[in-house]
Amino acid sequence: MSGHSKWSKIKRKKGSADSKRSKIFSRISKEITVAVKEGGGSDPSMNPRLRLAVLNAKGQNMPKENIERAISKGEKDGTSLVPIEFEGYGIGGVAVFIECLTDNNNRTVAAIRAIFNRRGGSLGTKGSLSFLFNRKGIFNIPVKKEMDMEALELDLIEAGAEDIEVDGDMMIVTTALEEFGKINKKLEELGIAPEKAELQRIPTLEKKLTVEDAKKFLNMIEEFDENEDVQYVYHNLAMTEELEEALDEE
């Protein structure tokens, strides 16, 4: 999981820009809106999916009024948003998996296809990349001085954590899909609020590129990220030492 940890570190560094924050808020707002409709109402205590979405919103310092607005929207017109997924390949055959929430399927399909074509990639068929990614629960937990890290790690392992990495001021906990709820419950019992808790697609096999090609590929990933309908983008590009150094210099 060390490669995943390095990608998380890079994303945290680049996530501080105002434009990135705006995208994060937009993504979480959509999750809240859909959670209200599909998860069972606007009360987080009775709707686990909404409770998790609100938790993520607070972890990203999303203003309270934004959260309330997203919940209100879900009570009125949340069904207009539908999920759609795309699978394809970028430069060098690196796999790309994209999850969207959209109110206009034709617009989203056209936009995603155009980015693949413009960036030297290709859109694949549904299910073509399922063997390359596993669904895992990922928790980003801010490390605080008062934490007993050894005791916390033991508690999380007992609750079902598969992997725990501490990267500076952040603990990244990985768990199997089936254990996601148990870890979330354990953190609630311990009074620990993660900065982010979500299900991600973790690659089972990574692909290396030269630094030059990797940067071209990451430009495509960034363009996907900037699309208003895209919620998450996953890929299996390997984070080599050379690439990490090049990204750190940017």
Side-chain angles (χ1 to χ4, degrees):
M1 291 299 296
S2 58
H4 172 74
S5 173
K6 290 178 180 179
W7 282 120
S8 297
K9 182 178 180 180
I10 294 294
K11 290 189 74 173
R12 289 203 304 276
K13 283 184 178 180
K14 295 197 172 187
S16 59
D18 288 344
S19 60
K20 295 291 185 182
R21 301 294 294 173
S22 177
K23 171 63 178 179
I24 291 172
F25 287 173
S26 175
R27 175 177 61 78
I28 295 175
S29 291
K30 286 185 177 181
E31 291 178 351
I32 291 173
T33 297
V34 173
V36 171
K37 279 294 182 183
E38 298 186 1
S42 59
D43 183 356
S45 66
M46 302 296 291
N47 183 338
R49 182 172 177 178
L50 176 59
R51 185 164 64 248
L52 181 60
V54 171
L55 175 70
N56 283 332
K58 292 179 178 178
Q60 294 295 331
N61 296 316
M62 186 171 172
K64 183 179 179 181
E65 56 267 27
N66 291 41
I67 297 174
E68 293 175 347
R69 191 182 307 121
I71 291 176
S72 178
K73 184 176 181 181
E75 293 173 322
K76 297 173 183 176
D77 61 2
T79 53
S80 62
L81 291 170
V82 295
I84 180 172
E85 298 175 346
F86 299 91
E87 300 169 52
Y89 292 93
I91 187 172
V94 180
V96 184
F97 198 110
I98 306 166
E99 296 179 356
C100 301
L101 280 175
T102 181
D103 58 1
N104 187 321
N105 189 70
N106 291 335
R107 178 192 68 216
T108 307
V109 172
I112 297 302
R113 180 180 286 114
I115 295 172
F116 269 118
N117 292 339
R118 184 162 56 248
R119 297 290 186 173
S122 60
L123 189 59
T125 57
K126 185 175 178 59
S128 60
L129 300 182
S130 58
F131 70 99
L132 281 176
F133 295 92
N134 284 331
R135 290 284 268 175
K136 298 284 186 179
I138 305 294
F139 295 82
N140 286 16
I141 303 170
V143 174
K144 299 180 180 179
K145 291 181 179 180
E146 64 270 20
M147 285 182 171
D148 183 336
M149 298 299 290
E150 185 175 348
L152 176 57
E153 289 189 19
L154 289 174
D155 283 339
L156 293 175
I157 290 172
E158 186 176 345
E162 286 186 350
D163 186 82
I164 298 174
E165 290 187 53
V166 178
D167 181 11
D169 61 352
M170 190 68 64
M171 172 186 282
I172 302 173
V173 180
T174 303
T175 182
L177 173 66
E178 299 78 13
E179 306 297 334
F180 182 81
K182 292 181 181 179
I183 295 291
N184 200 38
K185 183 178 180 181
K186 173 57 67 173
L187 290 173
E188 288 181 357
E189 292 174 355
L190 296 172
I192 296 175
E195 179 182 283
K196 185 166 57 177
E198 57 192 13
L199 294 173
Q200 296 185 13
R201 297 181 188 274
I202 307 301
T204 58
L205 181 67
E206 295 184 324
K207 192 171 184 65
K208 293 182 179 180
L209 294 179
T210 64
V211 171
E212 181 180 357
D213 283 346
K215 285 186 174 182
K216 291 178 182 179
F217 174 81
L218 292 175
N219 285 335
M220 180 181 72
I221 296 302
E222 186 170 355
E223 190 170 354
F224 282 132
D225 268 328
E226 291 173 352
N227 184 278
E228 63 177 348
D229 296 328
V230 172
Q231 292 290 96
Y232 299 98
V233 184
Y234 305 103
H235 59 79
N236 71 334
L237 175 65
M239 174 63 84
T240 63
E241 290 184 5
E242 294 81 8
L243 178 56
E244 186 176 11
E245 289 176 2
L247 294 176
D248 282 338
E249 293 174 357
E250 293 184 352

